[in-house]
């Protein structure tokens, strides 16, 4: 009987050591993400003009959509290297790869276009 009681106490003690304390703050996994502004028709046409020389196989709609992905990375404070990687991810085609220098130009085109502003979300 004593052995069973001792084993039960040890099990309870060990279980108590492995469980997190209720008073300890738990890490959160959700971060607030900035709203990504929509692209107007005028801005979309401008993006097409600026970006199509380095990504000629993309439609105007694809360029506008992919530019919003890059804008999200810009608004989240992505480093230049991360922004180039985002452009490569969204504007690269197997039959028409985009170089890092071209990707950097796409980032600048998106910044210069004017749609990618934190207060411009709609």
């Amino acid at each position: 009987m004593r052995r069973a009681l001792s084993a039960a106490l040890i099990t309870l003690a060990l279980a108590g050591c492995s469980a997190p304390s209720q008073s300890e703050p738990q890490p959160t996994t959700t971060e607030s993400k900035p709203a990504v502004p929509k692209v107007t028709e005028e801005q979309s046409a401008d993006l097409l003009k600026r970006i199509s020389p380095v990504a000629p196989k993309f439609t105007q709609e694809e360029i506008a959509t992919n530019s919003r992905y890059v804008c999200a990375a810009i608004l989240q404070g992505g480093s230049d290297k991360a922004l180039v990687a985002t452009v490569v991810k969204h504007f690269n085609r197997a039959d028409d790869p985009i170089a890092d220098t071209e990707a950097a130009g796409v980032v600048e085109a998106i910044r210069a276009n004017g749609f990618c502003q934190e207060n411009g979300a709609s």
Side-chain angles (χ1 to χ4, degrees):
M1 176 86 169
R2 276 189 175 193
R3 285 188 184 180
L5 184 56
S6 294
L9 288 174
I10 290 172
T11 302
L12 285 173
L14 291 175
C17 291
S18 64
S21 165
Q22 292 294 344
S23 63
E24 291 179 33
Q26 299 299 312
T28 57
T29 56
T30 57
E31 295 179 20
S32 63
K33 294 182 180 178
V36 180
K38 295 193 190 281
V39 180
T40 67
E41 280 297 317
E42 183 179 312
Q43 292 165 331
S44 181
D46 181 64
L47 286 168
L48 177 68
K49 185 176 99 179
R50 292 173 186 262
I51 296 173
S52 63
V54 296
K57 297 189 177 191
F58 285 87
T59 66
Q60 183 171 338
E61 184 177 334
E62 289 171 323
I63 287 175
T65 298
N66 292 345
S67 293
R68 291 186 75 218
Y69 286 112
V70 177
C71 178
I74 290 169
L75 294 178
Q76 290 175 358
S79 67
D80 289 343
K81 187 175 180 178
L83 296 177
V84 165
T86 301
V87 169
V88 169
K89 177 181 178 182
H90 293 286
F91 285 93
N92 206 27
R93 294 252 169 126
D95 62 339
D96 190 21
I98 188 167
D100 286 357
T101 53
E102 294 171 323
V106 170
V107 171
E108 290 310 310
I110 292 168
R111 284 182 170 144
N113 178 269
F115 88 92
C116 188
Q117 305 293 322
E118 275 195 74
N119 58 358
S122 55

